[in-house]
Amino acid sequence: MRTSRIRTAALATVTAALVLGLTACGGADGDSKAAGGDKAAGTSQSRSASNGDAKGGAEQAKSGGDAKTGERSTTASGGSDEVANKATTAAQQCRGDEMMVTAVHQLADQQGDHLLITASNEGDKPCWVTSYPSVKLGDDDAVLPLSKKDDTGGDKRITLQPGSTAYSAVNLFDYGSKNQTAQSFAIALRGADGQDGPFYSVDSKGEKPQFSWNEADVLNWSTEKPYDF
């Protein structure tokens, strides 16, 4: 029923339009064409603007995508830095009880006479050492100074994973008279604030474990042997 009514109304509209077309003058036709042209132009402009907006929207969407990509990249980078920072923060200062410290007397009675100190992390967690170890030779209560040949700014932290090793050395200067002799020494790890931890006794090893000195000093911790002969 609805379809029949719509068709009837359409036929009546067409008939009325034909009657008006027969009675109208040519100028009206021209105006009608002009209006149609304006309408077409308007439609074209509308489409063009619409296309432009669509293109702009696409570029904006693309730009938005790039922004999201940038955000992902920054987040990933930040995440890596965060993990690295957490790993560094998780490592505690090596106190000494988790360390295996050994000393070998090398180049005994020769130029370059020294004690090579090796400290290994025997614990199950990473820990760090910094600066240089505090060393007391034999029965002497004086803590040896840092070697003048070494970097006074060697206060960076060296993180030792379980099983990792750090090295230092005690340089011995024996002038042949009024010297002191020993076969062991006490060592403590220094904190970031320069304070000493507990001292531990270490026996010297090597072909000549006994050593003599008039003066002595210590090198900073390093992941490489200071004297690799």
Side-chain angles (χ1 to χ4, degrees), residues 103-105 115 182-185 202-206 208-211:
V104 178
H105 188 198
L115 300 172
Q183 195 171 326
S184 65
F185 61 89
V202 178
D203 292 329
S204 174
K205 298 179 180 180
K208 294 182 178 181
Q210 183 171 290
F211 53 89

Side-chain angles (χ1 to χ4, degrees), residues 17-220:
L18 289 174
V19 173
L20 290 174
L22 292 173
T23 57
C25 63
D29 292 340
D31 294 340
S32 178
K33 292 180 179 178
D38 293 341
K39 183 177 181 181
T43 303
S44 176
Q45 292 175 358
S46 176
R47 289 178 179 174
S48 176
S50 177
N51 290 338
D53 292 342
K55 183 177 180 181
E59 292 177 350
Q60 184 176 3
K62 181 179 180 181
S63 176
D66 293 342
K68 289 181 180 179
T69 302
E71 289 175 2
R72 292 194 189 99
S73 177
T74 303
T75 302
S77 176
S80 298
D81 293 340
E82 186 176 356
V83 170
N85 291 335
K86 285 183 178 180
T88 303
T89 305
Q92 301 295 321
Q93 177 185 350
C94 300
R95 298 301 303 171
D97 53 351
E98 73 277 69
M99 306 293 287
M100 173 65 73
V101 180
T102 60
V104 178
H105 188 198
Q106 295 186 336
L107 296 179
D109 303 326
Q110 302 179 46
Q111 184 176 0
D113 190 354
H114 69 279
L115 300 172
L116 175 63
I117 300 175
T118 302
S120 301
N121 181 6
E122 297 294 317
D124 56 0
K125 296 180 180 179
C127 65
W128 53 264
V129 295
T130 187
S131 189
Y132 60 97
S134 294
V135 175
K136 299 178 181 180
L137 297 178
D139 297 328
D140 195 343
D141 288 333
V143 175
L144 298 181
L146 176 66
S147 173
K148 295 179 180 179
K149 298 180 181 180
D150 213 344
D151 182 13
T152 55
D155 55 354
K156 66 179 181 179
R157 296 180 180 182
I158 299 177
T159 300
L160 300 178
Q161 298 296 329
S164 297
T165 300
Y167 302 94
S168 180
V170 175
N171 299 313
L172 301 169
F173 304 98
D174 184 0
Y175 303 124
S177 61
K178 296 182 179 180
N179 57 8
Q180 301 181 66
T181 301
Q183 195 171 326
S184 65
F185 61 89
I187 186 171
L189 303 178
R190 300 166 65 90
D193 57 359
Q195 298 297 315
D196 295 334
F199 277 86
Y200 296 87
S201 179
V202 178
D203 292 329
S204 174
K205 298 179 180 180
E207 293 182 2
K208 294 182 178 181
Q210 183 171 290
F211 53 89
S212 301
W213 76 98
N214 292 97
E215 296 179 5
D217 54 35
V218 188
L219 297 179
N220 284 319

